[in-house]
Amino acid sequence: MHLSEAERSQFRLEPTPELIQSVHRTIQRHEKAIDALEDRIQRFLGQVRELQYDQAKHRAAIARCCGLITLARRLPEELLIKIFGHCVESGWTRAPVVVSHVCSAWRKAAQAPQVWSHIYVRCDDANVYDRTRFWLTMARRADLHVTVAASHHVPEWRMYGLLDLLKARSEQWSSLKIDTDTLRHAGFILFRCHGSTPNLRHVEIRTDATDSADAGGELNLAVLGDMFTTDRAPRLTSVAYYSSVVPAVPIFPAHINDLTLEIRESPAHRPLSAALLIGILEPLLELRNLTVTMPLVYEQPFVPEADQSRVVSLPDLTMLTLYGPTDLNELLLHLHTPALRRLHLRSLEDAGYRQQPIGPSLTRYLEQSAPPLELLELHDIDLAPETFATCFGALPALRELRLHESSISDATLGLLRGPCGLCPRLARLDLRWCGLLHGRALVDLVRSRHVVTVDDRSRGLLPGPIEEVGVINCCFVEERDVLDLARMAVCRIVTRDGEDYCRPRDCCSNGRYRTRFRLRHMPELIESRGSIRLIL
């Protein structure tokens, strides 16, 4: 603040009593002015708060109005019930309770019995009995999907009342899943829940063999087959069994159509062997889908079957998936599957296993069973050129071929070329990480299947055209080859949207390549007006 000369002189002299009184009066006058201004400020702030409060009321009114016309409120109750059911199926077990607190419409939809039909019973929880009883009450007469999980810390006597509660509703079971640390607990749960299950369709067992009885082989869950017989579970079609050791005796119900068997170890006291697998499969004459997964940890090597003539017949099997070291493919020698249409062979080459030649077992299997294969997948499994030729010659009905990490050559692919080529019904190719295959050979193959001469027609040589080609991470297939393929057939350079083994493993991701491809050829793709059928 600027001071005049007279005002500055006052600060150089000792203040007089009159000056002191004058200063105090001036200070009091300024303090009163400040108090008055503070009162005005508070009045203005009060007005601001009132305006903000009115603003908030209008916003709340707008939110209520939007809530009246929101899509979530306009959804029909049946659709809400469906959505809530999907939430529970995806693993959100508390979904019925949470959605009930949103609004009255959601609360009403959440009262539907099917929303409460997934009963998740974790025996380690303190209040599990009351929660399970409440869930069963809310589910009323709906089909039940029961999951029972128990660690080895839970004593058996603590599960008596809980399992009896579930058993009383066994006629409503549609699926049953058991997740335990030991075979002993799994066997106990199955034994306590035995009864009539006329609507049961799927059973899943996940367990480890960690107690002494399991290690000695005294428990093999034989109660599984005794409990779910044709009389007690006539609609049971699917069983999934995940364990650290393979069962020593057949334990699965004989009338099932779908079996998933995953073994994680091959311990010294019970090594995984072809004889055990054959013994498990022999009673299952009605199997249609079979998936066998070998362990990642080998304490004891896989034991092949000494009797090469021993064969198990599965006359209705239509899909077979074998996943593990290539030793597992020796099991093909002991299978007779005359109706097989889909064969998936997947190895563990990326886990450090040495490849064993599977050509002899595969060709002998095709010769013995003569299956009408429509799909053949070889994932990280390679064949010699002569073996490829033999397999192609034995598969006249083949419609789809999937090769991953294969050294198939141009000459071998040429066996499929033209009207006289092998596999005349082949319509879809999926090639990934095929390091020896050139793009021009693939283009020539597709072109040869699209061009049929008059002479070919007169001789009755009418092979089906190649409708779809998938090419991912094949180093000698260039971008121009991809465009040429896309002009003759659907060409895909990305993994499939649906069932694709590589998608969750992320072994065939090529996002940067697809981005470069799109940027380089965008004008050509736009001008093609649909003549280039490319899936990016």
Side-chain angles (χ1 to χ4, degrees):
M1 181 174 61
H2 179 72
L3 298 177
S4 65
E5 185 63 30
E7 290 174 331
R8 285 198 297 269
S9 65
Q10 294 177 357
F11 290 95
R12 300 190 185 104
L13 301 175
E14 183 177 353
T16 63
E18 292 80 5
L19 180 61
I20 293 174
Q21 292 180 0
S22 176
V23 168
H24 283 306
R25 286 194 298 269
T26 303
I27 292 174
Q28 290 175 358
R29 187 173 63 253
H30 286 300
E31 288 178 343
K32 289 180 180 179
I34 291 174
D35 292 339
L37 291 173
E38 181 65 26
D39 292 338
R40 293 182 62 188
I41 290 174
Q42 293 301 322
R43 287 197 299 272
F44 286 141
L45 290 178
Q47 293 177 4
V48 169
R49 285 192 292 268
E50 290 178 0
L51 293 175
Q52 289 177 336
Y53 177 72
D54 292 339
Q55 188 183 55
K57 288 195 299 182
H58 287 296
R59 286 176 175 170
I62 292 174
R64 287 194 298 271
C65 291
C66 292
L68 294 175
I69 60 175
T70 185
L71 177 61
R73 187 177 178 85
R74 288 180 287 144
L75 288 176
E77 184 176 327
E78 296 78 8
L79 186 55
L80 283 174
I81 293 173
K82 192 81 171 178
I83 293 173
F84 298 160
H86 283 307
C87 291
V88 178
E89 291 174 7
S90 65
W92 188 19
T93 58
R94 288 179 50 84
V97 177
V98 176
V99 299
S100 298
H101 290 77
V102 174
C103 63
S104 59
W106 283 33
R107 186 179 303 110
K108 182 180 178 181
Q111 299 301 312
Q114 54 266 44
V115 178
W116 301 81
S117 61
H118 290 259
I119 315 297
Y120 184 77
V121 182
R122 184 167 181 80
C123 299
D124 295 68
D125 294 346
N127 60 341
V128 60
Y129 183 88
D130 293 336
R131 185 173 63 248
T132 302
R133 183 173 58 182
F134 172 72
W135 239 260
L136 290 173
T137 301
M138 297 299 295
R140 297 195 283 277
R141 301 304 303 172
D143 291 342
L144 300 180
H145 304 273
V146 180
T147 300
V148 181
S151 71
H152 65 278
H153 299 292
V154 181
E156 295 178 355
W157 60 268
R158 281 184 54 186
M159 296 188 285
Y160 287 158
L162 183 61
L163 297 179
D164 290 343
L165 186 65
L166 294 173
K167 178 183 175 182
R169 307 288 284 272
S170 62
E171 293 186 354
Q172 297 175 237
W173 292 359
S174 178
S175 66
L176 173 64
K177 298 181 181 180
I178 298 176
D179 190 349
T180 64
D181 290 346
T182 66
L183 283 171
R184 182 183 298 278
H185 273 74
F188 172 76
I189 293 172
L190 286 173
F191 179 76
R192 292 291 302 186
C193 291
H194 74 278
S196 177
T197 53
N199 294 314
L200 188 65
R201 291 170 173 82
H202 175 73
V203 173
E204 179 178 312
I205 308 292
R206 291 180 179 270
T207 183
D208 291 320
T210 56
D211 57 28
S212 58
D214 297 346
E218 298 176 17
L219 294 178
N220 289 287
L221 284 190
V223 67
L224 179 63
D226 298 336
M227 177 179 174
F228 301 116
T229 61
T230 307
D231 296 332
R232 293 181 176 178
R235 296 186 180 181
L236 180 62
T237 59
S238 174
V239 173
Y241 184 83
Y242 306 88
S243 181
S244 57
V245 295
V246 64
V249 296
I251 64 172
F252 302 111
H255 63 291
I256 61 174
N257 303 135
D258 191 326
L259 175 62
T260 298
L261 179 63
E262 180 176 320
I263 307 301
R264 294 186 291 271
E265 298 177 12
S266 180
H269 66 271
R270 190 185 295 178
L272 189 61
S273 68
L276 290 177
L277 295 175
I278 294 172
I280 291 172
L281 296 176
E282 281 178 336
L284 307 180
L285 300 180
E286 300 180 24
L287 268 187
R288 295 177 183 173
N289 298 323
L290 173 62
T291 300
V292 181
T293 301
M294 290 276 276
L296 297 175
V297 179
Y298 269 83
E299 180 182 339
Q300 184 72 20
F302 178 77
V303 182
E305 171 59 41
D307 185 4
Q308 294 295 315
S309 62
R310 186 180 180 186
V311 175
V312 54
S313 180
L314 302 173
D316 297 329
L317 193 70
T318 59
M319 187 175 82
L320 173 62
T321 302
L322 300 180
Y323 172 56
T326 48
D327 296 340
L328 178 58
N329 298 298
E330 296 298 320
L331 184 64
L332 290 172
L333 294 173
H334 307 284
L335 297 180
H336 181 251
T337 57
L340 193 70
R341 296 186 179 276
R342 297 170 63 95
L343 177 60
H344 304 265
L345 301 180
R346 300 163 180 163
S347 83
L348 291 172
E349 183 182 31
D350 55 347
Y353 290 96
R354 294 184 60 190
Q355 284 278 14
Q356 299 293 330
I358 71 163
S361 59
L362 180 58
T363 54
R364 182 178 168 186
Y365 161 75
L366 294 176
E367 178 183 351
Q368 292 177 345
S369 295
L373 274 187
E374 296 179 356
L375 185 150
L376 175 62
E377 176 186 358
L378 301 178
H379 188 101
D380 290 355
I381 290 179
D382 214 354
L383 300 178
E386 57 273 14
T387 305
F388 267 120
T390 303
C391 292
F392 290 160
L395 300 174
L398 189 67
R399 295 190 57 82
E400 183 171 358
L401 177 63
R402 302 177 185 175
L403 299 179
H404 185 286
E405 196 75 33
S406 174
S407 59
I408 187 172
S409 64
D410 297 347
T412 301
L413 195 68
L415 299 173
L416 308 174
R417 189 183 306 158
C420 299
L422 302 177
C423 304
R425 298 185 60 190
L426 186 66
R428 290 182 293 276
L429 277 171
D430 193 314
L431 306 172
R432 307 181 186 186
W433 299 102
C434 296
L436 300 182
L437 186 64
H438 289 77
R440 297 322 300 174
L442 193 55
V443 172
D444 293 342
L445 167 63
V446 176
R447 182 180 292 114
S448 69
R449 289 297 189 105
H450 281 73
V451 178
V452 180
T453 64
V454 176
D455 184 48
D456 294 333
R457 292 182 183 275
S458 63
R459 289 188 297 168
L461 300 176
L462 297 175
I466 302 294
E467 300 171 358
E468 180 179 327
V469 180
V471 184
I472 300 178
N473 297 334
C474 297
C475 57
F476 292 119
V477 179
E478 300 179 358
E479 294 180 2
R480 181 52 52 186
D481 301 325
V482 172
L483 292 173
D484 290 342
L485 289 171
R487 289 187 175 91
M488 296 181 290
V490 176
C491 185
R492 179 173 36 77
I493 57 176
V494 65
T495 55
R496 296 180 296 276
D497 290 333
E499 170 263 334
D500 194 308
Y501 180 69
C502 295
R503 181 177 285 270
R505 302 176 78 238
D506 200 29
C507 61
C508 292
S509 59
N510 58 350
R512 299 171 74 177
Y513 167 78
R514 289 186 283 114
T515 300
R516 291 196 303 268
F517 191 103
R518 186 183 295 108
L519 294 175
R520 287 174 180 171
H521 303 283
M522 181 62 71
E524 185 174 358
L525 295 175
I526 295 175
E527 294 173 1
S528 67
R529 297 183 179 181
S531 62
I532 297 180
R533 294 173 292 171
L534 182 63
I535 301 177
L536 284 168

